[in-house]
Amino acid sequence: MTHHTTQSPQFFLTAPSPCPYIDGQFERKVFTHLVGDKAPEMNDLLTQGGFRRSQNIAYRPACETCRACVSVRILVNEFKPTKNMKRVTQHNSDLVGAMHDAEPSTEQYSLFRKYLDARHRKGGMSDMTVLDYAMMVEDTHVNTKIIEYRRRGPDSFITGHGHGELIAVALSDQMADGLSMVYSYFDPEMDERSLGTFMILDHIARARAAGLPHVYLGYWVNGSRKMNYKVRFTPQEHLGSKGWERYAHEAV
């Protein structure tokens, strides 16, 4: 049995593999295990240092010739939605998100599979089974939550729960200085709702209500179309060689 010490974590380096974002590049990652009583504290420190969490692993890019992946966090207290974002919020005003402990369900997996099959058929997660999905949700030693989005019910303002079919899901970590969006997915047949944008806006609202200054969005890759949405949520900070620095970008 392998023993992992939380006081002095061991870091490992993956072998090179083709980059999923930039053609012709190869990626490597440095990673460590997030286990034990100190895992939440370690997750906070590593996330602030540019790491991401996947199950009980914290990782960050360690590519030899490329620094395109940049950690992004939104400055919650200064954030102001654009006109388009206000329209997205209004369009989804019939939805309510219920937050609870990270527990998987068959309903979640059905929506997850529908999303993958429509949006990421050739991606690295495309062959995930229901057991793989359960591990993605449950295998955590930090304060992880699931937010399920459904249409508002008559008792939504009492219970905080919607009713009807599951429309979108976010898996997120609650940290000392913010919320970290680990993974999110939604009904691909509801493109007109811009549910990805709506869930980020909802996380900003939740962080602000909880007095948390940041929402962590993971990595932005300049030049990758699938990542462009992340820099629309301003003001935000990017992690560089001098630490977290404000990023100048005109939101639309």
Side-chain angles (χ1 to χ4, degrees):
M1 179 177 179
T2 303
H3 177 67
H4 303 287
T5 61
T6 54
Q7 286 74 22
S8 54
Q10 290 183 299
F11 291 88
F12 307 90
L13 189 64
T14 65
S17 61
C19 176
Y21 302 111
I22 302 178
D23 292 339
Q25 290 285 355
F26 286 84
E27 67 170 359
R28 301 189 78 177
K29 295 186 178 76
V30 60
F31 69 94
T32 189
H33 295 87
L34 285 173
V35 294
D37 295 339
K38 296 294 184 180
E41 178 183 344
M42 184 61 65
N43 187 49
D44 283 11
L45 291 172
L46 291 175
T47 301
Q48 292 161 9
F51 280 72
R52 292 286 286 165
R53 185 185 69 81
S54 177
Q55 296 177 215
N56 65 2
I57 297 291
Y59 68 92
R60 66 169 296 171
C63 306
E64 297 176 358
T65 61
C66 180
R67 296 293 182 269
C69 293
V70 179
S71 294
V72 174
R73 68 184 186 188
I74 301 167
L75 298 173
V76 168
N77 295 328
E78 299 180 55
F79 173 78
K80 293 182 180 180
T82 64
K83 291 181 180 179
N84 180 66
M85 291 174 184
K86 289 179 180 179
R87 286 193 292 268
V88 170
T89 298
Q90 180 61 34
H91 190 47
N92 289 286
S93 60
D94 61 330
L95 301 185
V96 59
M99 177 184 283
H100 53 79
D101 290 339
E103 297 178 355
S105 70
T106 54
E107 186 182 24
Q108 290 171 18
Y109 181 70
S110 294
L111 181 61
F112 176 70
R113 277 260 47 104
K114 184 178 181 181
Y115 173 78
L116 288 183
D117 292 343
R119 295 295 188 92
H120 303 286
R121 187 182 297 270
K122 296 181 180 180
M125 304 173 75
S126 61
D127 59 350
M128 284 181 65
T129 67
V130 65
L131 179 58
D132 295 328
Y133 175 79
M135 290 292 289
M136 182 178 79
V137 174
E138 290 181 325
D139 192 6
T140 174
H141 290 249
V142 303
N143 188 11
T144 304
K145 300 293 184 181
I146 280 275
I147 307 176
E148 295 186 334
Y149 297 88
R150 304 174 191 270
R151 288 187 173 88
R152 291 188 180 277
D155 64 345
S156 293
F157 295 102
I158 300 172
T159 66
H161 291 71
H163 78 296
E165 78 276 15
L166 188 63
I167 292 174
V169 174
L171 180 68
S172 302
D173 291 342
Q174 289 187 326
M175 306 189 310
D177 75 326
L179 300 176
S180 177
M181 298 186 69
V182 177
Y183 194 77
S184 61
Y185 56 94
F186 51 85
D187 189 336
E189 296 180 2
M190 297 185 176
D191 277 343
E192 77 285 353
R193 284 184 175 267
S194 300
L195 289 165
T197 295
F198 171 70
M199 283 190 280
I200 294 176
L201 294 171
D202 182 63
H203 276 69
I204 294 171
R206 290 174 183 273
R208 181 177 287 143
L212 300 173
H214 304 119
V215 171
Y216 289 84
L217 295 182
Y219 301 118
W220 169 63
V221 180
N222 193 6
S224 172
R225 292 182 61 189
K226 67 175 68 174
M227 293 287 192
N228 281 345
Y229 71 93
K230 294 187 178 184
V231 292
R232 295 174 55 238
F233 297 86
T234 58
Q236 62 181 233
E237 291 180 327
H238 290 186
L239 183 60
S241 59
K242 298 180 181 178
W244 289 97
E245 296 183 306
R246 200 178 187 93
Y247 174 73
H249 177 77
E250 288 295 327
V252 294

